Structure formats: C-alpha cells, structure tokens
Amino acid sequence: MSVNKKFNFKLFTRLLNYVKPYKVNFIFLTVAAILISVFSILNQYLLKIAVDTYITPKDYEGLILVISLMFGVLIFQVTFQFLFVFLANILGQKVVYDIRIKLFSRIIKFKMSYYDKSSVGRLVTRAVNDMETIASIFSQGLFMIVADLILMFSVLAVMIFLSLKLSLIIFAILPFILIATRLFQRAMKVAFNDVRNEVANLNSFVQERISGIKEIQIFNREKIENEKFIKINEKHKNAWLKTVWYNSIFFPIAEISTSITIGLLVWYGGGLVGLGQSSITLGTIFLFIQLSQMLYRPLRQIADKFNTLQMGMVAANRVFKILDNSEFIKDEGKLKPDIIDGNVSFKKIEFSYDSKNQVFKDFNLNIKAGEKVAIVGSTGSGKTTIVNLLLRFYELDKGEILIDGKNIKEMSIGLLRSNISLVSQNIFLFADSIYNNIVLYNKKISINKVVEAAKKIGIHNFITKLPNSYNYNVKERGIMLSEGQKQLISFLRAYVNEPSILILDEATSSIDSKTEKLIQYATSKIIENKTSIIIAHRLSTILNSDKIILLDKGKIKEIGTHDELLKIDNGYYKKLFELQFQKEELVT
Ligand SMILES: Nc1ncnc2c1ncn2[C@@H]1O[C@H](COP(=O)(O)OP(=O)(O)OP(=O)(O)O)[C@@H](O)[C@H]1O
Ligand SMILES: [Mg+2]
C-alpha cells in the first residue's frame, strides 16, 4: 500500500467526530496540557531565582524557601502529567471501543462475495491490531503533540523575553534538529507502513494454517509451512529492524545537537556574565540550559509522535474503508406474508460468482408446496449454488426466484431466511454448548422444545450420552464431535426453527452404519410436512423423494421419479445410479 504524502484532513476530522461524545474528557486534556507547560517552565524559572537571588549572595534561608516552592510546583506538575496520560489513554480506548462495535456489526453483514475475496486474517487484523493503532493516536500521538507544541512555544516566548542573544544560539542549532527530525519522520512513516503490512501477513498466514491444520499434518507439510513462515517472519523482522536502524541513527544526532547547544550557551553566556555586560546572570544561563532541553526533548520525540499519528491514520483509513463498504445484499422487501406455503420457482436465472464463469444460464425450476425434491448431479454442477441463491447469499444476475408467487426480493432477508432452514454441506458449530449451537441464542426456543424435537427426530439418546448432555461444549468449529454427530446436531438446529422450507445439502463423507441409520431417520423426520430441497448423496433420500432433478453443468438434464428416470435409455440418472448407487444397494 502506498503511503499518502499529505496529511489527510478529511480522514482526521472524521476521526475527531468520534471524540465528540467525550467533550469533557477532551477539555480536561487540553487544560492539563497547558498547565503542565506553565508549571514546568515556572519550576525552571524558580531555579534561576534560586541561583541569582539566593545562591550567589549566599542567602540560605531564602534558598530553602525557593526550594520548597519548587517542590510544591513540581507536585502540581506531576499531578497534571498523571491526569493527562490517564485521560488521553481513556479517551483512546473509548473511541476505539465505539469504532470497533461499528466495525464488527458491519463485518458480519456483508454479502458472501465480500468474504469470498477477503482474507480472514486481514479482517482480524483490522478489528484487532489496527484498532490498537488507532487508540495510540489518542494515547501517544495527537494530544502529546499538542501538549509538546504548547510547551515549545511557551519556552520560545520565555527565552526571547529573557535574552535575545542567548536565544539566537538556540535558533542557530534548531534548523539542524528540525531537518533531522523531518527526515527521520519520513523514513519511519514508510517503515511503519511496511511493519503494518507484515503484521497483517503474519496474521493471515497463521490463521489459515491453523484452520487447515489437518491438511498440513496429513500431507506432512509441516516443514514446508515452517519454511514459508520463516520467510514471512523474516520480512516482518526486517521491517521492524528498519525502524530500529532509523532510531539508532537519529537519537545520537539529536544528542550531539543538544550537547553543542549547552557548550555554546556556557561558552558565550559565561563570557557575557564574566564581562559583567548586559543583564545576563549565572541563573539565566542555568535557565537557558534547562529551557533548551525542554525545547529539544519534545522536538526529538515529536517525530515519533507524528509517526504514531500517521500510523493511526493509516489504520483508520483501512478501518473506515470497511465502514464505508456497502457490499450488502439490498434488503428492501416489505412483504410480510402470514404463512408461507412453500411453492418455489426459479425463473430464467442467470448467475455467475465472478462474472466470468457462468454457473446458470436460463435456469428454471418449479417446486410445489410440500414437495420433496432431490437434486443430484456431479460435483460443481451448481447444486449448492441453487441454495445460495434461494437464501439470497448472492445476487442473481438475471431472472427471479419466487416463493408462493412473490419475488423473494419483496420480503425482508430476515423473514425469508427465518422461513427456510439449511443443513449445509460443511457444518459449522461454534465453541459453545450443544444447546446454544441448536438455538443460537434464540430465546423463543426453550430447552424443553429442543428436547422434544430431539426425541422426535431420534437423536435425544445420542445427545444425552455425551458428557454434560445438552450442555456439552463442542469447542471451536465443533471439534469435539464426529462428522456424523455434527450433522445430527445441525439437523436438530434446522428442525427447531420450524421452517416452511427445508434445505439439506447432504455431506458426502461416509459414516458408520449406526450413525447412518440415525441420519436417515432424522432426515425423514425433518422433511415431514415441509417443502424440502435435498441435495442428495444418499440412495435412501433419493428414493424417498417425490421428484429427482438431475443437474449437469448448471442445466437440468432430467426430471422425474426414480422409476421414470431409470426408464430413460442411456439417461444420465440411469448411469449415475448404476455407477454410484447400485453398489451401495448391494452392500446394505
Ligand atoms: N464462492 C464461489 N466463488 C466462485 N465460484 C464458485 C463459488 N462457489 C462455487 N463456485 C463455482 O460454481 C460452480 C458450482 O458450484 P456448486 O458449489 O454449486 O457445486 P455443487 O454442485 O454444489 O458441487 P458439490 O457436489 O461438489 O458440492 C463450480 O464451478 C464452482 O467452482
Ligand atoms: Mg455443493
């Protein structure tokens, strides 16, 4: 990603909008910043008075008084410093808290094609790491810069007021520090941007490998994945080392400038004091040495803080891009039918996932209410795609899908989906109890209802045999359950929602005959009295269906009952049946 040369004010104002709700915090911060400057300069000024008025004339009583006063001022100064750091961090976290909630609510609302092209790792980086970077704008960047600027301008004003001659020494050195700072800041900006990218790369990589851990281990890819990781890690390290390199050069340069300034002040100022010329006293020289430190120190660090600010802005830019993204499925339907009978028609559908490889061209299909339809066909023929379209996970390119004669776009997506239950090909369970995985925090479905439903579809016994029964935590992605068990749980999940239309995308993985029996029974129960579309891989489901649809490359080749289709000479279904199922029949 290229780094913007200019400071993006529009982005900055947008970010500041998030500070608005915390106005009081903001005002306190500004007041604290001003008071810190006042007290720290006052303290140094008291030092000058101590030297000139009490130390030189040897008035020790007065000296004690001034030192006590300095101590008092110091207490105020550190109190405000504490408040400043505390409030700035709180503000940062509050702002990020608000943005993160907005971001997450968006991240889970996009249409499927958005996720198809986004890497999970990157989205995680946006929601976690980038957010921290945005927080640091407030905790380490913005207000610190403002406070530093207030301090530096106050110091400059005091210097000029006290002695123009000594101020000129400082002004002579200042440009060198400014130039060095500027160069440093530019280099760091590029370096930090690289660091961010490498962090996102690391996140994506680790995330994906952990998701695909079985594939890695079964194919013995550990060594190769390790090597890949080493390369990414190396890039990450190098990106960081660059920043270390710039830091190591910059700070000695800044140190030399400070020392030269002190040297010049002592040499030139000391000469003036010795000659007894002008109003410059020993105290003034002390004060100038201190003030020059107060000027240079923030100046050195301001580069760092600007970087923090820039990094935060880069992160904010990425996060706002997601917030501005409106790749949602249009959800404008107002229709609220009381009952859905479940007549489904696909009319002249055209669809492609990527606008290149068309999956459907003039696809038509009618399913009557209560009908049980089995869809069979080779892999990649478009079976799952039919489901994706009916559930509006993807938008049609052309044509329309009707439920009970009404375009599904006329219904809200929520209503549409609440009337259709899906048992998908790849079952996903959350790291939660079986009960929560079934009801998905829908408060309307009580545990009694779940138990009753489980009994009806014949899986109650299987669940109660698990440790903790319905409260069994299946862990991330349902890792604690077998594939067959996960399927049974997802059957129940679909069933308790009492949909009008049930879709079952049968998994191809084979399971033991006991579970197979449970699944067959559960399947027959969940489709009872419902329009059901079953993408079938089991002979039993096919035989139990009212009509079979044979899909090939996005086209319906044959349609009819099992017996009808077997009668077609050289028919697709006949071939499929002979190849795939007749064997199965012999076994069972
Ligand atoms: N998210 C996606 N992005 C791009 N192309 C996709 C996507 N999902 C599926 N496809 C493509 O669309 C076509 C139909 O896929 P679909 O998943 O509908 O097949 P299927 O009939 O369900 O196959 P299977 O029996 O293997 O599940 C395939 O060519 C596939 O490559
Ligand atoms: Mg599929």
Side-chain angles (χ1 to χ4, degrees), residues 116 353-354 359 377-385 394 425 505 537:
D116 289 351
Y353 284 101
D354 50 11
V359 183
S378 53
T379 178
S381 56
K383 304 182 296 294
T384 302
T385 308
Y394 294 87
Q425 205 168 6
D505 199 346
H537 294 289

Side-chain angles (χ1 to χ4, degrees), residues 102-111 115 328:
K102 260 192 153 177
L103 182 72
F104 184 73
S105 75
R106 236 174 151 92
I107 284 185
I108 57 170
K109 252 177 37 198
F110 289 122
K111 54 181 170 189
Y115 307 100
F328 305 122

